Amino acid sequence: MPALPLELIRQIVEDVVDDIDDPTYCRDLSAVSLSCRLLRHEAQRVLFRDSGELHTTTAAREKTIMFMDTIISSPERLALYVKSFDITFDDWFHPNSDETAALIQKLSITLQAMRNLESLDVSQWTSSVSSLADILQHVHSKLTSFIWSGYSDTASAAANIKADFLRRQDNIEHLVISEFIEERTLEPIAAEICPRLQSLSASYALTQILLPGKQHLTSLHWEPPLGDHVAQVYQGPDADFPCDLELISKELGRIRYLSYDVGGSLMPAGPNIRRIAPYLTSLVCLNTHRDDIKQLEALSRLPHLEILILSVGIRDSWPEEDDLIKVAASCKSLDHIDIENDYGAFSRFKYNHSSKSLESHTVDGSDIYRWFDDFDAFHD
């Protein structure tokens, strides 16, 4: 077959396999890569650029190990294609077995080989795997996205390794650190790390340490505290959330997307909207608990609020229509209100100013979550 321009080859591959959500996506890409030498490299580039969701359960472990073995066997070609790597240590994976140690060792070698990696997502739902953080020593690529979520009993593990990792990763734009690092470890390095940070998901305590000076950060998610922090934070449903908003007042003024749950939980994630509304002068999208629909005065003080997202639990009742109408009529910039249930389904309510009533329909929640990753791309 005669040589073709790379742009045309890429178009051929993308046209043949264009739906990443198709169950046969990877299989079809593999078939394309084997069809001829001309298409092989491009099909493999697309196939390996995203690891997909890898797991350590018995049923999924073979696939996970196969992927890592393939990467290790081709450090100068296939390993360099990988841009995104996602692995979950599931809760029924034995934390202290020889098999676990071998898997972590293999993961370290895999990460070292993936020198063009941009996004790393590690979920640790197996308690007491304190050695898992050791893999970070082998990440030599410059990440733009880092996600680490898991159990709180390993937050103190390998503190020096975690601190050194965050110091080295100065290209990170999107950061999720659920129970990744302790406050005492973060405080000494907070000012020097993640200068390009755009979105952050962490507990309020960690964000209060990390936020100051982060001039590019516009998306913020506060997670409920876990472990020992619960007793320190929760003092009853009517108590004020312990915080000093003046420490991050400038940074809150830059936030365009804020997501947190302050009601209906024994573990409030952050201060009540009444307290923070005066600081949120640039806020465009607020994702909070359905009880905040009652905070009419606070919501009406958000001059640029366009989207209000309310989360409703399985046992919670939906907000009253009258409350929705009052908020929609009072918030001058508000375009619509989305209500999300525990199953991820969204209902969208738009206020008709002529009839002074609400119009509703179902929407795809995937568009909502793009706010957190890239507000500008969604808004355009």
Side-chain angles (χ1 to χ4, degrees):
M1 182 180 292
L4 294 175
L6 179 58
E7 293 79 5
L8 183 56
I9 294 175
R10 288 187 172 178
Q11 189 63 52
I12 292 172
V13 173
E14 291 175 1
D15 286 346
V16 172
V17 187
D18 62 351
D19 185 3
I20 194 171
D21 295 321
D22 191 319
T24 65
Y25 177 79
C26 291
R27 187 173 63 203
D28 292 344
L29 270 176
S30 297
V32 172
S33 71
L34 297 173
S35 63
C36 67
R37 183 177 299 178
L38 182 65
L39 300 179
R40 183 182 65 181
H41 290 293
E42 179 58 23
Q44 288 181 338
R45 184 189 69 82
V46 176
L47 181 63
F48 283 94
R49 65 186 174 187
D50 188 339
S51 70
E53 297 180 1
L54 302 176
H55 293 266
T56 60
T57 58
T58 302
R61 200 174 309 156
E62 182 178 353
K63 174 188 173 184
T64 299
I65 293 175
M66 184 182 300
F67 180 88
M68 291 194 288
D69 284 341
T70 302
I71 295 302
I72 293 171
S73 68
S74 182
E76 298 303 324
R77 195 168 67 84
L78 297 182
L80 301 182
Y81 289 152
V82 184
K83 302 293 185 181
S84 177
F85 186 81
D86 180 340
I87 188 167
T88 297
F89 282 75
D90 303 88
D91 55 4
W92 46 81
F93 191 70
H94 197 286
N96 300 313
S97 67
D98 291 341
E99 188 177 15
T100 302
L103 184 61
I104 292 176
Q105 176 64 22
K106 188 181 291 288
L107 177 57
S108 297
I109 299 172
T110 303
L111 289 170
Q112 189 168 5
M114 297 185 296
R115 301 192 298 276
N116 291 328
L117 192 67
E118 297 176 359
S119 175
L120 175 60
D121 185 340
V122 180
S123 297
Q124 181 183 341
W125 304 121
T126 303
S127 60
S128 302
V129 188
S130 57
S131 61
L132 186 56
D134 292 347
I135 66 174
L136 299 176
Q137 299 176 93
H138 304 279
V139 179
H140 300 302
S141 60
K142 287 292 188 178
L143 302 177
T144 58
S145 175
F146 176 61
I147 299 174
W148 187 290
S149 53
Y151 278 98
S152 60
D153 65 353
T154 56
S156 61
N160 291 336
I161 291 176
K162 293 174 181 178
D164 181 63
F165 170 78
L166 290 175
R167 284 194 187 98
R168 289 188 286 110
Q169 293 296 333
D170 54 6
N171 280 352
I172 289 179
E173 297 175 354
H174 307 290
L175 181 65
V176 178
I177 44 175
S178 173
E179 301 304 315
F180 172 68
I181 193 169
E182 290 188 321
E183 296 165 37
R184 61 184 178 183
T185 304
L186 185 62
E187 282 178 332
I189 63 172
E192 62 182 281
I193 63 173
C194 304
R196 302 184 181 184
L197 197 60
Q198 297 178 21
S199 67
L200 172 65
S201 177
S203 67
Y204 181 89
L206 290 182
T207 62
Q208 187 166 270
I209 295 171
L210 192 54
L211 245 62
K214 300 298 185 289
Q215 299 183 8
H216 305 291
L217 199 148
T218 58
S219 298
L220 181 61
H221 174 69
W222 285 327
E223 300 179 353
L226 300 175
D228 296 337
H229 296 290
V230 175
Q232 299 172 19
V233 171
Y234 183 66
Q235 302 172 12
D238 299 320
D240 282 337
F241 189 90
C243 62
D244 185 353
L245 293 172
E246 290 298 327
L247 294 176
I248 54 173
S249 59
K250 291 182 180 179
E251 287 71 27
L252 288 177
R254 301 188 188 104
I255 298 300
R256 305 179 77 177
Y257 175 98
L258 176 63
S259 172
Y260 74 126
D261 185 351
V262 295
S265 171
L266 293 181
M267 299 176 289
N272 191 285
I273 190 65
R274 295 192 309 271
R275 297 178 62 190
I276 59 175
Y279 302 96
L280 300 173
T281 54
S282 301
L283 192 68
V284 176
C285 180
L286 174 64
N287 186 346
T288 185
H289 188 264
R290 56 111 185 181
D291 288 347
D292 271 354
I293 197 68
K294 299 285 188 180
Q295 305 295 337
L296 179 60
E297 181 180 353
L299 293 173
S300 64
R301 296 179 66 183
L302 302 173
H304 301 291
L305 184 66
E306 295 180 12
I307 296 180
L308 176 62
I309 306 170
L310 303 174
S311 300
V312 178
I314 296 176
R315 298 181 180 180
D316 293 334
S317 59
W318 276 48
E320 296 290 337
E321 184 172 332
D322 286 347
D323 291 328
L324 296 176
I325 291 176
K326 288 177 182 177
V327 169
S330 300
C331 299
K332 302 305 180 184
S333 299
L334 192 66
D335 181 76
H336 59 266
I337 300 173
D338 287 335
I339 299 181
E340 178 189 16
N341 63 28
D342 266 4
Y343 301 103
F346 282 83
S347 294
R348 174 163 296 175
F349 296 85
K350 292 179 72 76
Y351 182 63
N352 187 317
H353 289 272
S354 299
S355 63
K356 296 184 179 180
S357 62
L358 292 175
E359 301 171 351
S360 65
H361 62 280
T362 303
V363 296
D364 181 2
S366 62
D367 284 344
I368 299 299
Y369 291 114
R370 287 180 59 191
W371 278 81
F372 187 75
D373 294 327
D374 190 350
F375 166 83
D376 292 326
F378 177 76
H379 195 259
D380 291 342

